[in-house]
Amino acid sequence: MSRNNKMALKQQLLTKIGSVLALLLCTLNIYAQEKPPRPIIIYVNPAQGLSFGAFAQSGSGGTVIISSNGSRSVTGSVIQVNLGFSYSAAIFQVDAEPGTLITISNGPDITLSGSNGGSMSMHIGSSSLGSPFVATAVSPSRTNLTIGGTLTVGTSPANPPGNYSGTFSVTFIQN
C-alpha cells in the first residue's frame, strides 16, 4: 500500500473518531412529558350523599344495595317501596390536574343509627370510575364519580321504622 493511501486511510479514521467523540460530548435533553406541578393538590366536593330510599322489612331482613350507577336492588325479605323518598349513589366531584392518578380508599363499615332506636350496618361500595382512576377534567370542570353501598337490614324489632343516618369516609390518594 502506498504512502498516500495510508495517509488517506489514517485521515478518514481520525475524521470518524472525531465525529464519534463530538457526538458523545453533545448533551441532549429529551422530555417525554411535562412534570406536574408540585405539590399535587386534589380537591374533592361531596356533591350528594348516599341514600337508600324507603323500604320495608319482613321476616329476617336482608340488604338494600345501591350500585355505583345509582340503581337499587334488595335481597332477603326486604321490600322496595316508593313513598317519595329518593335513593341515590353518593356523588363526588374531583378537581385535580388532568392525568393525575388517584386511588380511592374506602373507610370501614359504619353503623347507621335510627331515629326510633335500632341500628343498621352499611358497607361502602366501589367507585363508578374504579380505583385507581385518572382525572380527566380541566379546571374549572371536575371529574365526577359515584359510589354506592350495601345496607344490612335486620328484623323489625331490631330495625324499627324511622330515619337512619351516619357518616362514612372515603379517602382520595394521589399516586
Side-chain angles (χ1 to χ4, degrees), residues 18-31:
S19 297
V20 169
L21 285 176
L23 284 175
L24 290 175
L25 295 176
C26 289
T27 302
L28 298 174
N29 291 326
I30 300 172
Y31 298 99

Side-chain angles (χ1 to χ4, degrees), residues 42-47 91-95 102 142 145 170 172:
I42 300 171
Y43 295 100
V44 180
N45 176 39
I91 299 174
F92 294 92
Q93 299 172 328
V94 180
D95 189 359
I102 301 169
R142 295 186 171 103
L145 64 97
V170 178
F172 293 81

Side-chain angles (χ1 to χ4, degrees), residues 100-165:
T100 301
L101 184 64
I102 301 169
T103 299
I104 298 172
S105 176
N106 289 346
D109 291 356
I110 64 158
T111 300
L112 303 180
S113 300
S115 59
N116 294 321
S119 63
M120 295 184 204
S121 176
M122 186 190 84
H123 175 78
I124 304 164
S126 59
S127 158
S128 59
L129 298 180
S131 181
F133 70 95
V134 176
T136 56
V138 177
S139 193
S141 295
R142 295 186 171 103
T143 302
N144 291 315
L145 64 97
T146 56
I147 296 177
T150 301
L151 183 64
T152 302
V153 181
T155 62
S156 261
N159 298 132
N163 293 319
Y164 287 76
S165 61

